[in-house]
Amino acid sequence: MIDPDSQDQFRRAARELGQELQRTMEQAGRMFRQAVQDFSPPPGARPPRPAGPPPPPGAAGDPVELIRRLGELRDQGYISTEEFEAKKRDLLDRIG
């Protein structure tokens, strides 16, 4: 059987270990929340757009085909309406 002094020392050590573990867990939680905040985009930021599929072969030089493909990209949310309209104007200027 363990003597009472040893039991008290063991209980104190276990309590201190539990308190240290609690402090460590709280610190880990703070660090995790800070990391999430550091690596999160600012509020209102647009998420990066995934790359769209490559244009079909032979379509790179055809302005009408490019406008059609840009319309698809706009409809799929890869580009904004403003981006579509600006590029469409550029391509139509090339035609005539």
Side-chain angles (χ1 to χ4, degrees):
M1 179 153 188
I2 302 175
D3 66 87
D5 287 337
S6 295
Q7 284 181 342
D8 287 343
Q9 287 177 344
F10 179 75
R11 286 185 183 126
R12 250 191 319 275
R15 186 173 35 253
E16 290 172 4
L17 182 61
Q19 291 169 347
E20 182 64 27
L21 179 60
Q22 181 67 32
R23 285 190 297 270
T24 302
M25 294 299 292
E26 289 170 357
Q27 181 181 14
R30 286 190 300 273
M31 292 171 71
F32 175 76
R33 286 187 295 278
Q34 184 64 47
V36 168
Q37 186 178 21
D38 290 347
F39 291 101
S40 295
R46 289 173 41 182
R49 292 191 185 113
D62 180 12
V64 175
E65 179 62 22
L66 285 173
I67 292 171
R68 185 187 68 73
R69 290 285 299 134
L70 286 169
E72 290 174 3
L73 293 174
R74 177 203 55 210
D75 294 344
Q76 295 169 359
Y78 291 112
I79 63 173
S80 69
T81 300
E82 293 80 20
E83 292 167 321
F84 168 77
E85 292 297 329
K87 188 63 179 175
K88 183 175 85 171
R89 277 191 301 277
D90 291 344
L91 292 168
L92 289 174
D93 288 344
R94 276 196 233 167
I95 293 174

